[in-house]
Amino acid sequence: MISIDIVLLWLDLIGVFFFAVSGSLLAARKQFDFVGSILLASIAALGGGVIRDIVINAGPPIAFTNPAYLAPPLLAAMLVYYLFSSVQRFTSLLTLFDAGGLALFCITGTLKAISAGMNPVAAILLGVTTGVGGGLLRDITANEIPTLFNNRDIYALPAFVGAGLTTLMWHLGLFSGLTACVIAAVVFAFRVTAWRRSWYVPLAVRGWHRAGTGGGAISGLRD
């Protein structure tokens, strides 16, 4: 029987690859060079995990102790280098790969927090942080408005759903490789559907309105 540690490792590495591709795609869109593509892929892919390992005091982050974590960013940068000219019209690819990384990282981050002895609430928060951390660092580095703070998009909520379901399944003794795949699929579907249908959460203050919704830019309280 496959151990949960092996499942966790593979989920983590696949998530690293997905986020790395999103970083390289953004680098290509911003016309970075190949070295910049590798660096942005690495920041997107490894940033959330580094934050996670620092928070749980796990010693040197696994990204710097396991060479396997360095391969996905290199592979992603090479794939984008050779394939981007034929896929650059499909800007949705960045969102799709980002959603894949988010779906997997919110699970692995939550599981590592639970393994470190954190309570369920803290485990969920760290799972969300792991999921959104790489994308946040990627967007800031590329001088983009972070997707996390985009008032026309939903980013953190799918991660909360994934982290919450992971914590619930774990404490019920139902977590397995199969349930992990189901949770990841739910998070991915939630994220992509929210993006395609332009779902959003209310603004920080009731009465504010969004740009393009009949009142121009977000300009403050209505009379």
Side-chain angles (χ1 to χ4, degrees):
M1 183 175 179
I2 300 177
S3 70
I4 193 64
D5 289 336
I6 297 298
V7 172
L8 183 61
L9 176 62
W10 278 106
L11 288 176
D12 217 23
L13 287 174
I14 296 171
V16 166
F17 175 73
F18 284 163
F19 265 130
V21 172
S22 77
S24 287
L25 285 171
L26 181 57
R29 194 172 74 187
K30 303 286 284 189
Q31 297 186 327
F32 291 179
D33 61 20
F34 186 71
V35 174
S37 178
I38 295 175
L39 291 177
L40 196 60
S42 300
I43 289 171
L46 306 177
V50 169
I51 295 172
R52 173 198 66 211
D53 292 343
I54 291 174
V55 171
I56 65 176
N57 195 26
I62 192 170
F64 301 117
T65 59
N66 187 342
Y69 280 78
L70 301 179
L74 291 173
L75 177 60
M78 292 179 65
L79 286 175
V80 171
Y81 176 79
Y82 285 109
L83 300 178
F84 185 72
S85 60
S86 62
V87 302
Q88 58 184 339
R89 293 173 297 172
F90 305 103
T91 56
S92 60
L93 276 178
L94 197 157
T95 299
L96 294 177
F97 276 100
D98 182 76
L102 181 74
L104 294 173
F105 269 22
C106 68
I107 296 173
T108 59
T110 302
L111 291 177
K112 291 200 174 184
I114 293 173
S115 299
M118 288 189 166
N119 63 67
V121 174
I124 291 172
L125 292 176
L126 189 57
V128 173
T129 301
T130 306
V132 305
L136 178 64
L137 293 174
R138 174 200 65 211
D139 294 342
I140 291 174
T141 302
N143 198 28
E144 292 274 301
I145 296 176
T147 307
L148 179 62
F149 302 129
N150 186 348
N151 69 82
R152 293 176 171 274
D153 203 354
I154 290 180
Y155 195 62
L157 280 183
F160 270 107
V161 171
L165 288 174
T166 300
T167 301
L168 179 63
M169 292 296 102
W170 179 269
H171 287 284
L172 291 177
L174 300 176
F175 188 86
S176 65
L178 178 60
T179 55
C181 291
V182 172
I183 293 171
V186 169
V187 175
F188 180 83
F190 184 8
R191 169 74 181 103
V192 174
T193 302
W195 171 68
R196 288 190 179 276
R197 295 180 178 269
S198 299
W199 291 349
Y200 53 81
V201 296
L203 295 178
V205 176
R206 188 178 64 177
W208 282 9
H209 52 89
R210 301 170 194 274
T213 57
I218 298 173
S219 56
L221 294 173
R222 293 174 177 159
D223 292 333

